[in-house]
Amino acid sequence: MRGGADRAGDRRSFDRRGAASDDREWAPRAPRPRHDEPELPESVTAKDLNRAARAELKTLSRENADEVARHLAMAAQLIDDDPALAHRHALAAERRAGRVAVVRETLAITAYRMGEYALALRELRTYRRISGKDDQIALMVDSERGVGRADRALELGRSVDRAALPADVQVSLAIAMSGARLDRGETEAALAELEIPQLNRSRAFSYSPELFDAYATVLEDLGRPSDAAEWHTLAGRAREALGQVDEDVVLVEEEEFAVEQADTAEAGDAEADMAGAEVGAAEPVAVELETVELETVELETAEVDAVEADGAAGETAEADAPDTDQAEAETAEAKGTRDDEDADAE
């Protein structure tokens, strides 16, 4: 009957807070899983993420920051062996902390490794906007190439001040720009893109093997196999030399190296020397290649020998020379004695 009394079970009563209630005991819902987040091993902790990246997570709650840090640490550990799983960890971190620069950067890198160039490019743009940094500009250029836009890749690479970039980023950008030139069939221009100060055959940095190999590859495309073989050999020697240092440490404290201005007649030598002399902040570790041209080292050795020889000759001459002050004192004393004797005789 309309408007009549309620029948049993037709309606539930409401408590004072407006929440529905019935005779059954209320139980909290089980927490819903966060999408399909990959499992995190108990052995992986937030401290496995490097300190600089952890510092970017301070805006998050402690619990969330720890979870994000663990996902980022797993992405870093898996990127070489299992890029797909690394990408899942990066996605999990992005869902928890999408406004943190290092999270978007990690997602971009894993997407790039998966061949998802459009996603990588989108995430790199977001990372660049959040961080204000150009340190991933080479990956952006290469991602433009990946989606078939070589022209835009070149335009993007030219839009930044290369001199303001760290040396390793300059090298990565040069390699990406060279690849874009090859995509357009501009082989000579591709070689020119790689002829940068870091292309130094007498010094090896952490970025040198990749640069040497890229240069050799373009030389092969130009039909210069002997020159290509020489640069491939240099790349192998650089890898061997770099294996003698701690590969986990790729940065050193800021150092300033003075570059002397060369005369016009010495311009050719100056170009060879400038590669090792111009170093910015946080320059990657370098070692000397013993099997290539070392005229500078030999010259320094000769100069040291000359200085040591001059020093030895000076010491010998000083030892052989009589003590001038002592000799003058003895002469004056002898003269005084003779004057006294003459006076007594008078």
Side-chain angles (χ1 to χ4, degrees):
M1 183 175 63
R2 183 178 300 177
D6 295 335
R7 289 177 295 180
D10 282 351
R11 289 193 318 187
R12 288 181 294 176
S13 61
F14 286 80
D15 60 18
R16 293 179 180 178
R17 295 171 297 175
S21 63
D22 52 25
D23 296 335
R24 292 174 296 179
E25 183 179 356
W26 179 84
R29 288 183 178 179
R32 292 182 300 175
R34 298 182 66 93
H35 303 275
D36 58 345
E37 288 188 358
E39 183 179 355
L40 287 168
E42 294 183 1
S43 59
V44 177
T45 69
K47 292 184 178 180
D48 291 325
L49 185 66
N50 68 73
R51 184 177 300 178
R54 290 204 311 270
E56 293 190 38
L57 306 179
K58 289 183 178 180
T59 57
L60 308 176
S61 67
R62 177 65 180 272
E63 180 182 358
N64 194 31
D66 286 349
E67 288 296 297
V68 171
R70 294 174 68 194
H71 279 297
L72 294 179
M74 284 299 298
Q77 292 178 19
L78 295 168
I79 188 64
D80 292 325
D81 299 329
D82 194 344
L85 184 53
H87 186 58
R88 289 182 60 201
H89 279 287
L91 284 170
E94 189 272 336
R95 284 191 288 264
R96 289 175 172 269
R99 297 183 179 181
V100 179
V102 68
V103 173
R104 306 306 286 265
E105 180 185 26
T106 303
L107 180 56
I109 293 171
T110 59
Y112 177 85
R113 294 294 296 271
M114 289 281 293
E116 300 287 344
Y117 300 116
L119 175 59
L121 190 57
R122 185 190 73 189
E123 294 301 319
L124 286 168
R125 287 171 179 163
T126 303
Y127 162 74
R128 189 185 190 190
R129 184 176 65 251
I130 295 174
S131 68
K133 297 178 180 178
D134 287 325
D135 57 335
Q136 292 293 354
I137 189 65
L139 208 60
M140 294 181 70
V141 170
D142 223 34
S143 295
E144 288 283 8
R145 292 182 59 211
V147 295
R149 297 195 294 249
D151 291 345
R152 292 187 62 175
L154 292 171
E155 182 180 354
L156 176 61
R158 290 191 295 264
S159 69
V160 298
D161 180 10
R162 296 197 193 188
L165 301 174
D168 58 332
V169 179
Q170 292 184 38
V171 170
S172 297
L173 179 56
I175 293 173
M177 295 287 282
S178 177
R181 294 290 188 184
L182 290 176
D183 294 343
R184 290 162 49 94
E186 302 170 354
T187 313
E188 289 286 353
L191 189 70
E193 291 283 0
L194 297 172
E195 293 175 342
I196 57 178
Q198 290 81 10
L199 189 71
N200 186 348
R201 59 185 298 131
S202 62
R203 301 188 74 193
F205 293 82
S206 57
Y207 50 69
S208 298
E210 185 179 6
L211 178 59
F212 292 173
D213 276 333
Y215 194 68
T217 299
V218 180
L219 287 171
E220 290 173 350
D221 292 343
L222 287 171
R224 297 164 57 182
S226 59
D227 292 337
E230 181 181 356
W231 281 98
H232 277 311
T233 300
L234 286 173
R237 292 174 181 173
R239 288 189 178 92
E240 182 179 357
L242 289 165
Q244 300 171 3
V245 301
D246 186 358
E247 295 182 352
D248 293 332
V249 181
V250 296
L251 299 180
V252 294
E253 295 181 358
E254 180 176 355
E255 294 181 293
E256 296 292 338
F257 293 85
V259 183
E260 296 182 357
Q261 297 295 330
D263 294 334
T264 303
E266 299 175 353
D269 295 334
E271 292 179 359
D273 295 336
M274 189 176 297
E278 273 189 351
V279 183
E283 182 70 17
V285 170
V287 294
E288 294 293 338
L289 294 180
E290 299 177 354
T291 51
V292 295
E293 300 175 359
L294 294 178
E295 293 87 357
T296 303
V297 176
E298 293 174 358
L299 177 61
E300 292 175 352
T301 303
E303 291 176 350
V304 170
D305 292 341
V307 171
E308 291 178 351
D310 292 342
E315 291 176 358
T316 303
E318 183 178 353
D320 294 340
D323 190 334
T324 304
D325 294 339
Q326 183 176 358
E328 291 178 353
E330 292 176 353
T331 302
E333 183 178 357
K335 181 179 180 181
T337 303
R338 287 195 300 271
D339 292 341
D340 293 340
E341 292 177 351
D342 293 340
D344 293 340
E346 293 175 355

